[in-house]
Amino acid sequence: MPLLCTTITEAYSLALWQLTEPAAECRQLLEAARPGFLFPDHLRGEKRQREFAATRLLLHALLGEVPEVNYTSGGRPFLALDHHHISLSHSAALAAVILSPYPVGIDTEQTTRQVDPIAPRFLSDAEMKWTSQSPNPQQARIFCWSAKETIYKMIDQPGTDFKTGIHLPPTPMTDRGMITVTFTRNQVPHPAHLHFLFSGNNVVTWCVYPPGNPLKDPPENKYDLDETCFKGMKNDP
């Protein structure tokens, strides 16, 4: 389960891990990082144990310790003894963690995941149009799903409708990039910078929302991710 990268900026700390090892090896790594650590009783399956271990090991890479992660009644993770905002995500191939003093969200998805049948439920008419005109509509739509998941996590407003409450501009499916998205909170639109990476059969999206003027900071200074982050990463089977 190789650590792909850790990236620390003034605005956030981000880490990615490629999921390769079986759950037993993941447990050993986690127990070495925090002796005596006990897995929650409800984590019975191989997949869930591996994902759980990966996100805690990523936190160890960023914080130098394996902290306790608690969850709100709505399922939002938080660190009991730390002021950072936190967001976690995992797909079959990747685990991702982001920490920030500001509201934050992260999501990772496999681009082979099929969302076309449900696309009209989470894409606006304009988004349906531009994704249909993309050279790879399926990739564009899984990107949109990931981006909206990220924004939903960041704004922490239960009930936000993906189709009407989060809007994405036409976006070229380049290896990496940044777009300005708009979300609605209390019937007021708010802009935010959203960043994305494609590598292998994976997409990662993340967003940090500083208070006041969230677009004031040049992205090249505040939100740059190490170019070598995904170097050598293999495509998913």
Side-chain angles (χ1 to χ4, degrees), residues 1 5 47 54 56 60 98 130 136 173 236:
M1 191 166 56
C5 71
K47 178 175 180 293
R56 273 59 182 179
H60 183 267
I98 191 167
W130 74 255
N136 187 336
M173 296 294 100
D236 303 331

Side-chain angles (χ1 to χ4, degrees), residues 77-113:
F78 66 94
L79 303 179
L81 302 178
D82 194 286
H83 69 282
H84 284 98
H85 294 265
I86 180 175
S87 186
L88 315 173
S89 185
H90 41 70
S91 67
L94 287 180
V97 167
I98 191 167
L99 300 170
S100 176
Y102 313 117
V104 67
I106 195 167
D107 186 71
T108 179
E109 304 285 344
Q110 290 185 287
T111 55
T112 52
R113 179 181 175 187

Side-chain angles (χ1 to χ4, degrees), residues 76 102-105 127 147-169 179-194 206-215:
R76 182 180 181 86
Y102 313 117
V104 67
E127 291 161 347
K148 294 194 177 195
E149 281 278 3
T150 284
I151 298 301
Y152 185 86
K153 293 177 181 180
M154 182 192 73
I155 63 178
D156 191 26
Q157 183 174 266
T160 298
D161 185 81
F162 277 27
K163 183 172 182 175
T164 61
I166 304 172
H167 299 283
L168 309 176
I179 59 174
T180 300
V181 304
T182 304
F183 64 89
T184 301
R185 174 182 283 164
N186 299 325
Q187 300 182 334
V188 177
H190 299 268
H193 282 151
L194 179 131
W206 70 98
C207 188
V208 180
Y209 196 71
N213 184 355
L215 305 183

